[in-house]
Amino acid sequence: MLKVLKITTQGRGKNLVFLHGWGVNSGVWQPLIDILKEEFCITTVDLPGYGLNHQQLPTTYNLEAVATMVAERLPEKCILIGWSLGGLVAQQIAYCYPQKLKKLILICSSPRFSKNVSWPGIDPKILDLFTQQLHQDPTKTLARFLAVQAMGSANARQEAKTIKLAVQKYPVPSSVALAEGLQLLQNIDLREQFSTLLVPCQIFLGRFDTLVPKDVAPLIKLLNSKVSIDFISDAAHAPFISNTENFAKHLIKAID
């Protein structure tokens, strides 16, 4: 049986497609959608194993398979916007299916998430801990990860609560998608292919993001000097939640 992802589309205008991050679903975009829907045609895609697609899983859950499933549902010449883990999927699509995209926009995402001696990012020990906790108590692990995403924000507690309320309107994510998603964050390194990216790319980083720190900016520019990078002040890992109106202005400018 062919596995086809469900998508949600609303509005008119330029095609914007949004991909969410780990542990959540397309509900996280609603505050931003409320601002943008009068000017743009907005499509949200729940990644395989999440939200409306919680039962739709590729035979092998890896970045290539997830990107292919998502790419099949994209409108032609869209602007693809990926946040966090969704940004890894978006980068893979931009590399494998550049003809489908007009532009790639990454929010608090980079070609590599895991920290090493040459790259700032998430401490692998933290990802290991989340993987262990996921097997013991998935609900509590998700709550902790939401809290980590909001760390650094002036309203961290409220931000985590906003995300939690938004995603609770959708089905619980697949345990396979959660476990394999953490492995993607830990192991994927797209730096080589990012350096040859053909699609125009804009990246937004939160100045107080602890997961994708601002220190990655100069390293990303070294990989690909054509990429534009913009910082959202007073924001952590989810600027479209903590600074919705301000972020919307930045995004509209990047789209135009």
Side-chain angles (χ1 to χ4, degrees):
M1 181 177 175
L2 184 64
K3 296 175 181 177
V4 179
L5 296 181
K6 296 177 181 178
I7 63 174
T8 302
T9 301
Q10 57 185 300
R12 291 182 176 181
K14 293 180 180 178
N15 282 309
L16 310 184
V17 180
F18 290 85
L19 304 181
H20 61 83
W22 184 85
V24 295
N25 53 54
S26 58
V28 299
W29 300 113
Q30 197 55 53
L32 189 60
I33 290 172
D34 289 340
I35 296 175
L36 300 176
K37 63 185 178 182
E38 300 301 323
E39 294 184 52
F40 303 98
C41 181
I42 298 171
T43 297
T44 55
V45 184
D46 285 307
L47 298 178
Y50 292 94
L52 299 178
N53 298 311
H54 67 288
Q55 295 180 322
Q56 296 284 51
L57 295 168
T59 304
T60 301
Y61 204 103
N62 57 36
L63 186 62
E64 293 80 4
V66 170
T68 297
M69 289 181 73
V70 173
E72 289 172 351
R73 299 309 321 266
L74 296 180
E76 289 298 321
K77 292 299 178 183
C78 65
I79 297 172
L80 184 59
I81 302 164
W83 170 52
S84 198
L85 173 63
L88 284 179
V89 178
Q91 289 173 71
Q92 183 71 19
I93 291 171
Y95 181 70
C96 295
Y97 308 96
Q99 72 281 3
K100 283 183 167 284
L101 307 186
K102 184 177 180 181
K103 189 169 189 176
L104 172 66
I105 295 179
L106 304 177
I107 305 171
C108 299
S109 190
S110 75
R112 177 188 175 99
F113 276 75
S114 186
K115 178 182 178 181
N116 68 7
V117 292
S118 64
W119 194 263
I122 311 172
D123 189 329
K125 293 179 182 177
I126 294 177
L127 292 171
D128 283 337
L129 182 60
F130 274 114
T131 299
Q132 294 169 17
Q133 293 175 341
L134 186 65
H135 295 299
Q136 298 166 6
D137 192 333
T139 302
K140 189 176 288 186
T141 303
L142 286 171
R144 286 173 178 163
F145 196 75
L146 292 183
V148 170
Q149 292 183 64
M151 280 175 60
S153 173
N155 299 302
R157 184 172 294 182
Q158 181 58 45
E159 188 174 327
K161 183 179 179 180
T162 300
I163 297 174
K164 183 177 180 180
L165 289 174
V167 303
Q168 282 180 337
K169 297 178 182 178
Y170 290 76
V172 174
S174 155
S175 59
V176 172
L178 290 173
E180 295 302 325
L182 285 176
Q183 291 303 304
L184 295 181
L185 291 174
Q186 179 131 1
N187 299 320
I188 292 296
D189 189 338
L190 300 179
R191 286 180 290 180
E192 185 175 343
Q193 67 184 50
F194 190 83
S195 66
T196 63
L197 196 64
L198 298 176
V199 179
C201 179
Q202 167 79 47
I203 300 178
F204 292 106
L205 299 175
R207 284 199 181 275
F208 301 109
D209 191 349
T210 59
L211 300 180
V212 183
K214 63 182 186 299
D215 296 344
V216 302
L219 298 177
I220 289 174
K221 292 290 283 186
L222 284 174
L223 289 175
N224 193 325
S225 61
K226 296 179 181 179
V227 172
S228 297
I229 300 177
D230 196 2
F231 295 96
I232 308 299
S233 58
D234 301 322
H237 195 61
F240 55 92
I241 295 289
S242 62
N243 306 57
T244 310
E245 292 187 7
N246 181 39
F247 180 78
K249 292 176 183 177
H250 283 266
L251 183 59
I252 291 170
K253 185 177 180 181
I255 291 167
D256 293 339

